[in-house]
């Protein structure tokens, strides 16, 4: 075991040894509440927030007809997404009757491109799709996350919660051990958040890049020394759905800045 892995195991062991600080029932807090003041200032400043470079790239892709396409996204939704509804954006992930399954915002953008612009199909989390998702989600900044939790979503949310509470990897930890029991505790100089999804796609200072919720789940699993779910997997969609549902009522912050 290398030095970094030893340190990680020691940190996690120490974390589990401190008294629990379970948040009060129903008290939902954005990751914004847990980041350092300097990071908040960076997020709030349109000239300092590094995630806005991805928003600008997504905006350009949205307005431009790609070489392999018949028209641009703006051809249907107006320049800069003028006809897109912020409330509708805030409901993603949604339940797709056609697919009888979860539809993420990135999947919706991908299907729109494939079906209406005849663009080349891109895999989930392709840089162009990430940029488009970041731009579109940023159009709903301030809108409250409003993921459906009843009807056909209920069983899917239950499955997502089970994944969230499952222990993974060599560290043998579950997501809820950090984000439900120990938010506010310090780990590697940063406060643990509640793991809310309202800021994603978010710019991560720790990696120096924009990060989707899918990618953040994968990064967390890697930190647990576990095999991460693939971007196309049912597991990552279920966990992403559950994480976003936990953020219901929080304002969208995309692109948030997180460590």
């Amino acid at each position: 075991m290398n030095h970094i892995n030893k340190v990680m195991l020691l940190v996690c062991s120490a974390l589990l040894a401190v008294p629990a600080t379970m948040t009060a029932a129903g008290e939902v807090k954005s990751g914004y509440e847990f980041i350092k003041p300097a990071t908040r200032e960076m997020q709030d400043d349109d000239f300092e927030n590094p995630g806005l470079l991805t928003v600008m790239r997504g905006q350009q892709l949205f307005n431009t007809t790609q070489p392999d396409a018949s028209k641009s996204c703006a051809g249907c939704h107006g320049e800069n997404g003028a006809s897109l509804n912020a409330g509708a954006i805030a409901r993603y992930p949604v339940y797709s009757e056609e697919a009888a399954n979860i539809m993420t915002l990135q999947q919706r953008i991908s299907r729109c491109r494939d079906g209406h612009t005849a663009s080349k199909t891109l895999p989930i989390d392709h840089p162009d799709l990430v940029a488009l998702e970041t731009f579109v989600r940023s159009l709903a900044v301030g809108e409250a996350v409003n993921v459906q939790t009843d009807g056909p979503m209920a069983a899917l949310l239950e499955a997502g919660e089970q994944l969230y509470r499952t222990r993974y990897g060599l560290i043998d930890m579950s997501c809820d051990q950090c984000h439900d029991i120990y938010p506010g505790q310090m780990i590697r100089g940063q406060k643990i958040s509640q793991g809310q999804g309202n800021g994603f796609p978010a710019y991560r200072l720790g990696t120096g890049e924009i990060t989707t919720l899918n990618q953040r789940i994968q990064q967390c699993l890697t930190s647990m020394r576990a095999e991460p779910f693939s971007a196309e997997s049912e597991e990552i969609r279920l966990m992403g759905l559950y994480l976003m549902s936990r953020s219901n009522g929080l304002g969208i912050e995309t692109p948030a800045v997180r460590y």
Side-chain angles (χ1 to χ4, degrees):
M1 184 182 297
N2 63 35
H3 177 69
I4 293 175
N5 291 337
K6 287 180 180 177
V7 170
M8 188 65 184
L9 286 171
L10 287 171
V11 168
C12 291
S13 297
L15 178 62
L16 292 176
V18 301
T21 56
M22 181 80 73
T23 55
E27 187 182 6
V28 180
K29 293 184 178 181
S30 168
Y32 185 86
E33 301 296 323
F34 298 90
I35 57 178
K36 297 177 179 179
T39 309
R40 292 183 191 177
E41 291 176 9
M42 183 183 295
Q43 176 174 318
D44 295 341
D45 189 329
D46 287 350
F47 292 99
E48 295 292 334
N49 186 333
L52 287 170
L53 292 174
T54 303
V55 171
M56 292 170 62
R57 181 166 180 270
Q59 180 181 31
Q60 183 180 36
L61 288 168
F62 189 93
N63 290 324
T64 304
T65 301
Q66 300 304 303
D68 58 337
S70 59
K71 58 181 177 179
S72 67
C73 300
C76 287
H77 301 292
E79 187 176 0
N80 299 325
S83 67
L84 290 174
N85 183 283
I89 294 169
R91 289 197 286 270
Y92 279 86
V94 299
Y95 184 79
S96 167
E97 296 285 351
E98 180 184 355
N101 209 334
I102 302 161
M103 173 82 66
T104 67
L105 180 57
Q106 193 176 136
Q107 286 176 308
R108 172 61 71 192
I109 293 169
S110 181
R111 292 193 182 191
C112 268
R113 290 178 77 260
D114 293 351
H116 299 292
T117 73
S119 296
K120 179 181 178 181
T121 300
L122 300 174
I124 294 298
D125 286 337
H126 184 280
D128 286 355
L129 277 180
V130 171
L132 283 165
E133 179 189 10
T134 306
F135 167 67
V136 171
R137 188 117 173 127
S138 74
L139 297 177
V141 165
E143 191 78 19
V145 177
N146 186 27
V147 174
Q148 180 186 354
T149 58
D150 59 0
M153 279 295 210
L156 295 169
L157 283 166
E158 185 177 348
E161 181 176 6
Q162 184 176 358
L163 289 166
Y164 177 80
R165 301 191 186 283
T166 297
R167 290 174 178 263
Y168 299 99
L170 296 177
I171 293 178
D172 193 35
M173 286 184 69
S174 59
C175 306
D176 72 302
Q177 284 182 288
C178 274
H179 299 299
D180 285 1
I181 300 175
Y182 294 105
Q185 294 288 341
M186 300 296 292
I187 183 170
R188 289 179 296 180
Q190 303 290 327
K191 285 185 179 180
I192 299 173
S193 74
Q194 292 182 354
Q196 303 293 354
N198 60 304
F200 287 89
Y203 186 89
R204 287 202 63 211
L205 298 172
T207 60
E209 60 186 1
I210 205 79
T211 304
T212 67
L213 187 55
N214 282 354
Q215 291 167 334
R216 190 68 189 103
I217 292 168
Q218 291 171 325
Q219 290 165 359
C220 278
L221 287 168
T222 298
S223 294
M224 294 177 189
R225 306 297 295 160
E227 184 70 26
F229 305 130
S230 76
E232 305 281 354
S233 68
E234 184 73 2
E235 289 88 350
I236 208 161
R237 278 189 290 175
L238 287 168
M239 191 180 286
L241 169 67
Y242 177 68
L243 289 172
M244 285 305 302
S245 75
R246 292 171 75 251
S247 301
N248 276 353
L250 293 176
I252 290 172
E253 298 176 20
T254 304
V257 179
R258 301 290 185 261
Y259 177 73

